[in-house]
Amino acid sequence: MAERVEQEEIFSQVLRAGRRTYFFDVRATKADDYYLTVTESKKFTHDDGTFHYQKHKIYLYKEDFTDFHEMLKKATDYIINEKGDEVISERHQKDFKKEETITASEEVETPSTDSFTDISFDDI
């Protein structure tokens, strides 16, 4: 079986996003035309402190750039229009602290002090 030789990058951009890193690499075909590879690399840490990376890669060729760009724009615009810019999954992280705001329409119940007993700590 012939080994696949990875082409040298001609142009490269890196986007670091938390545990994920995205690589946008321009490479050349054997005919010396350019194409794009987009690689998502995600770091996983084992209990013993060692780690490994899981990678997913797509290849995007020039004949698909226009349609791909259009579909990506439509999909991202739809997400922002439907769900806004807030990253909802952040709510599920251990260190997430929600800012609580009370609107005028919300009533805040304060407990009645009628059932409390007056205690003097000198009596204890």
Side-chain angles (χ1 to χ4, degrees), residues 15-92:
L15 171 62
R16 298 193 195 294
R19 291 183 347 164
R20 292 180 180 86
T21 302
Y22 299 97
F23 299 91
F24 298 85
D25 299 314
V26 175
R27 301 175 186 269
T29 65
K30 289 181 182 178
D32 202 31
D33 200 2
Y34 291 168
Y35 65 98
L36 174 68
T37 63
V38 179
T39 307
E40 175 204 37
S41 178
K42 191 172 180 182
K43 185 177 183 178
F44 290 92
T45 306
H46 302 287
D47 292 337
D48 64 1
T50 61
F51 57 89
H52 75 279
Y53 294 94
Q54 187 177 57
K55 295 182 180 182
H56 299 97
K57 186 178 284 197
I58 64 168
Y59 295 82
L60 189 59
Y61 298 93
K62 287 193 312 188
E63 60 267 24
D64 302 322
F65 285 179
T66 302
D67 291 339
F68 186 90
H69 183 266
E70 182 181 320
M71 294 298 150
L72 179 63
K73 175 112 175 80
K74 284 181 181 179
T76 55
D77 286 350
Y78 176 82
I79 292 168
I80 299 300
N81 289 336
E82 291 294 315
K83 295 295 182 178
D85 288 47
E86 178 190 5
V87 180
I88 296 170
S89 61
E90 288 178 353
R91 293 182 191 168
H92 303 287

